[in-house]
Amino acid sequence: MKRVSIFGATGSIGQNTIDLIMRAPDDYKVVALSGGANIAQLAKDAIALDAEVAVTAYESRFEDLQSALQGTSVVAAAGASAIAEAAARPVDLVMSAIVGAAGLEPGLVALQQGATLALANKESLVTAGALVLRTAKANQARLLPVDSEHSAVFQALIGEDISAVERIAITASGGAFRDWNLNDMANATPEQAATHPNWDMGQRITIDSASMFNKALEVIETKEFFGVDPNQIEVLVHPESLVHALVGFNDGALMAHIGPADMRHAIGYALHYPDRKTLPVERLDLARIGQLNFRAPDPARYPALRLAWDVMEIGGMAGCIFNAAKEKALDAFIAKRIGFLEMATVVENTLTKLSGDSGLILAEMTLDTVKHTDQLARRIADETIQKREG
Ligand code: NAD
Ligand code: MG
């Protein structure tokens, strides 16, 4: 029986994880669940899974959670430090499915106790790749990718030597605006950006898919996770979202991972690793699908992509700055304070402002220095947003 905790349990990845666990209740003991404002869902799942503890991110919601759990053996807790404490409870595997940089700390705590970290939260590796990898190594803890592209690359690399890899291509659907012109994109609303042609995901990652900030984060995640050079990474627009990634080897072979656009594949792969177990996902009928299309992304419509390579070139804390500014710009777009294309401008301005400070960029990466840089970048991004509002 695997002992498992799920952080971000009420979100899209969290709910898909719980779906898989509920199908095999004898294989898992759920220890901790965390969520945000959806107290009813958090309590319902914690009770159904007989979790030890349920934590809401919001201290102000503690009493609501406590009363929803009354009469059960599930302990209620609230706040970021309670989430970190819950991550220290001994388990075999932690599903890191919080959205944003808030996912970093519980992931680090999980690694410190030697748990396998199933990483849906791509922001952890973007914000603090060196710190996450160092913590995993020091505690002999395993990292498993849950992002579909990285799970695909991981699977294509089984039995292979990373030194034989020439290139890694991750695919992008192109998001909600893949066929829109630049002018229409400039006027796009958050509601329009929050619909995805192929994947059913949380609101933030869906908008990030339309801007390709999601793909930019994933490019950086690829570099950190697999230790390849930036010039070995490619992005391919693939409207069908069935080929998730391709690994090119030095003999010219391309190993593609093909599967349905259902996150339960990558989640299930990580949950059961190193075994493969039967998963409730669609079996593809390629003869019926008939064709798969690929094209290069248009750099003019997706400025976020270019920024990913800038970030990798600057190195150090640039990923932390990039992610923090992106989170702020996304908040401002959702609040209709800035336009869709202005998100990239805000992020680029923040990166430009801070990347000249070599003391900041090259500081030793600890949770404290990362948090400090994250806060600073958020402040600078905010200033840029306020200026653009005039
Ligand atoms: P979501 O918005 O559906 O859920 C996010 C979860 O995090 C919720 O449980 C929410 O309560 C919690 N949360 C939000 N802010 C928090 C905070 N400040 N502190 C603590 N908890 C907080 O998001 P999602 O789509 O499930 O994505 C989760 C992560 O997985 C993201 O990093 C995303 O990039 C990544 N991911 C998602 C998908 C997908 O299909 N949804 C695919 C690949 C990667
Ligand atoms: Mg992905």
Side-chain angles (χ1 to χ4, degrees):
M1 183 178 276
K2 260 188 195 166
R3 292 169 62 87
V4 177
S5 288
I6 307 167
F7 294 94
T10 54
S12 164
I13 293 286
Q15 289 291 299
N16 277 312
T17 306
I18 289 173
D19 174 82
L20 291 178
I21 288 180
M22 296 246 190
R23 289 164 191 265
D26 297 339
D27 294 350
Y28 301 99
K29 165 76 191 112
V30 172
V31 173
L33 293 182
S34 90
N38 191 348
I39 301 295
Q41 185 72 51
L42 177 61
K44 178 171 167 262
D45 291 334
I47 294 166
L49 294 164
D50 193 22
E52 290 175 10
V53 59
V55 195
T56 164
Y58 303 111
E59 274 166 34
S60 61
R61 302 300 304 275
F62 174 71
E63 269 139 39
D64 296 341
L65 181 60
Q66 200 175 34
S67 65
L69 292 171
Q70 206 155 35
T72 74
S73 61
V74 186
V75 174
S81 55
I83 292 179
E85 277 165 34
R89 292 193 180 223
V91 286
D92 301 301
L93 182 137
V94 165
M95 173 57 71
S96 168
I98 289 174
V99 63
L104 174 64
E105 187 166 1
L108 289 173
V109 175
L111 291 172
Q112 278 156 0
Q113 59 136 312
T116 292
L117 187 63
L119 210 52
N121 178 271
K122 60 195 79 187
E123 295 89 346
S124 292
L125 280 178
V126 173
T127 299
L131 176 60
V132 171
L133 297 176
R134 194 173 77 213
T135 308
K137 198 168 173 196
N139 296 282
Q140 292 172 320
R142 187 187 284 284
L143 280 179
L144 290 174
V146 175
D147 220 337
S148 55
E149 298 77 4
H150 306 76
S151 177
V153 172
F154 187 89
Q155 293 177 52
L157 282 172
I158 290 170
E160 305 286 355
D161 190 338
I162 190 80
S163 66
V165 171
E166 269 181 1
R167 59 185 174 137
I168 294 178
I170 60 174
T171 60
S173 67
F177 306 146
R178 68 177 166 221
D179 300 317
W180 287 35
N181 66 36
L182 206 52
N183 207 23
D184 291 341
M185 283 169 88
N187 297 313
T189 65
E191 293 73 26
Q192 290 169 320
T195 57
H196 198 283
N198 305 332
W199 294 94
D200 179 13
M201 309 185 287
Q203 180 206 36
R204 298 180 72 85
I205 182 176
T206 305
I207 298 176
D208 282 350
S209 296
S211 63
M212 285 225 198
F213 265 113
N214 180 52
K215 211 48 58 179
L217 296 173
E218 291 182 356
V219 165
I220 302 168
E221 186 187 10
T222 301
K223 173 186 171 282
E224 298 294 341
F225 203 107
F226 301 103
V228 292
D229 287 339
N231 63 15
Q232 290 178 288
I233 305 171
E234 294 168 20
V235 172
L236 274 175
V237 174
H238 168 48
E240 292 86 359
S241 293
L242 297 176
V243 176
H244 304 299
L246 307 99
V247 178
F249 292 92
N250 54 11
D251 60 356
L254 263 181
M255 301 287 276
H257 181 286
I258 311 179
D262 184 336
M263 284 309 294
R264 291 178 304 175
H265 169 74
I267 295 167
Y269 182 80
L271 273 180
H272 298 303
Y273 181 84
D275 300 330
R276 281 193 191 271
K277 295 231 169 119
T278 305
L279 293 173
V281 300
E282 183 196 347
R283 273 41 177 181
L284 293 182
D285 179 349
L286 287 178
R288 188 180 55 78
I289 291 162
Q291 42 171 304
L292 299 172
N293 293 279
F294 300 92
R295 60 175 188 255
D298 172 1
R301 294 193 309 129
Y302 298 113
L305 274 185
R306 171 180 50 82
L307 295 177
W309 273 269
D310 292 349
V311 165
M312 293 187 288
E313 193 179 324
I314 299 165
M317 292 286 186
C320 173
I321 296 165
F322 177 72
N323 179 68
K326 191 283 293 177
E327 288 192 31
K328 274 289 174 188
L330 178 57
D331 289 340
F333 172 65
I334 292 171
K336 305 196 173 173
R337 294 174 60 199
I338 59 173
F340 182 75
L341 294 173
E342 282 179 298
M343 287 191 283
T345 315
V346 168
V347 174
E348 182 162 22
N349 285 356
T350 307
L351 200 56
T352 306
K353 254 199 195 124
L354 293 177
S355 60
D357 182 348
S358 59
L360 182 79
I361 295 292
L362 301 175
E364 193 200 342
M365 217 181 249
T366 65
L367 186 56
D368 281 344
T369 59
V370 168
K371 278 184 175 171
H372 165 80
T373 308
D374 176 280
Q375 290 306 319
L376 180 62
R378 281 170 204 263
R379 217 165 46 236
I380 302 290
D382 247 346
E383 284 169 17
T384 313
I385 291 162
Q386 274 163 24
K387 263 190 217 137
R388 296 191 79 81
E389 285 179 317

